[in-house]
Amino acid sequence: MAETTGWMAQDWPDEPPAASDLRPEVPHPARIYNYLLGGKDNFPADRAAAEQLISLSPGIGAAARSNRTFLRRAVRLAAEQGIGQFLDIGTGIPSEGNTHQVAQLVDPAARVVYVDNDPIVLAHARALMAGPGHGATTVLQADLREPEAILADPRVRAALDFDRPVALLLVAVLHFIDEEQDPYRLVATLLAALAPGSLLILSHGTGDFDPPARVAAGTQVYCAATAQVTPRSRAQIERFLTGLELVEPGLVPAPAWRAESAEEAAIWAPGYAVVARKP
Ligand SMILES: C[S@@+](CC[C@H](N)C(=O)[O-])C[C@H]1O[C@@H](n2cnc3c(N)ncnc32)[C@H](O)[C@@H]1O
């Protein structure tokens, strides 16, 4: 695994990432998404990429916010069902209602491991969790493309008991893994390590709801970024769910996942969402 930096909330390293690690001149998915959510943790290159996306799809900011709503609802559901352990891969820069905050509201003893390969995510997670009251929360820099290394990491093993159910979050991250990197194997490897009763909380970008030319143009925006985008069809996303039991309402457009109003369900978003249980 590449450089790995992890810590418990009470055990943060003193040194922030070097500025050169942040590569401000290259758009980063975490920072583009932060801008779309209305955040300030981004650089001009990220904002330029995000503005291109907005000009293609003016609703993309609302779509990003609805993805966060899905994340919060799914984490709360998992915690209310008694799952007290969360492995959140592709965490993103902390935003409103982060996984540990939602889970620990339901269960103050909930344990959360955040994993992201972008050093800016670690820098902000560190700032967020420097104070008291963040329970058992661990953050590490690692890559979804190396699931064996994540699973074997001693900090992950210390934080999570793999003999008991875990909620695995892969929220708006798998579309940064192209077909050649075999995302289906990566997900299957992670799921194989989890106990029965574990939940997969997944959202994924798709081109199913837009004209092909717009999908191609949106994908093109990420060509100069640190990670490119591979939108997937419903059938491709269903492959991630092989052998799992879908939790109501199944695999649906992300804003429609347990939407609280017809208006909410009708928000345009280029993504699907699902929660599925390992039998
Ligand atoms: C669009 S953000 C989603 C953040 C959060 N999960 C959410 O849905 O609100 C995607 C995140 O995945 C991270 N990411 C992309 N490729 C990754 C990889 N190969 N391994 C780990 N994290 C990755 C990015 O750095 C970014 O923080």
Side-chain angles (χ1 to χ4, degrees), residues 133-146:
H134 294 288
T137 304
T138 304
V139 185
L140 56 132
Q141 186 175 346
D143 201 299
L144 172 56
R145 290 167 291 191
E146 296 174 342

Side-chain angles (χ1 to χ4, degrees), residues 29-31 33 37 64 67-68 71 88-93 95 115-118 121 142-145 170-173 175-177 203 227:
R31 303 187 314 224
Y33 183 66
L37 288 171
N67 182 63
R68 291 295 302 179
L71 184 152
D88 182 348
I89 305 179
T91 304
I93 295 168
S95 181
V115 178
D116 204 286
N117 67 350
D118 187 336
V121 171
D143 201 299
L144 172 56
R145 290 167 291 191
L170 296 172
V171 180
V173 63
H175 46 245
F176 295 111
I177 309 289
S203 72

Side-chain angles (χ1 to χ4, degrees), residues 184 187 191 200-202 234-246 250-252 273-277 279:
Y184 310 103
V187 174
L191 288 171
L200 172 63
I201 296 175
L202 172 80
R234 181 183 180 92
Q236 286 176 303
I237 296 167
E238 280 171 341
R239 277 187 67 189
F240 293 118
L241 309 173
T242 305
L244 303 181
E245 298 164 349
L246 304 196
L251 178 65
V252 295
V274 65
V275 175
R277 182 176 291 103

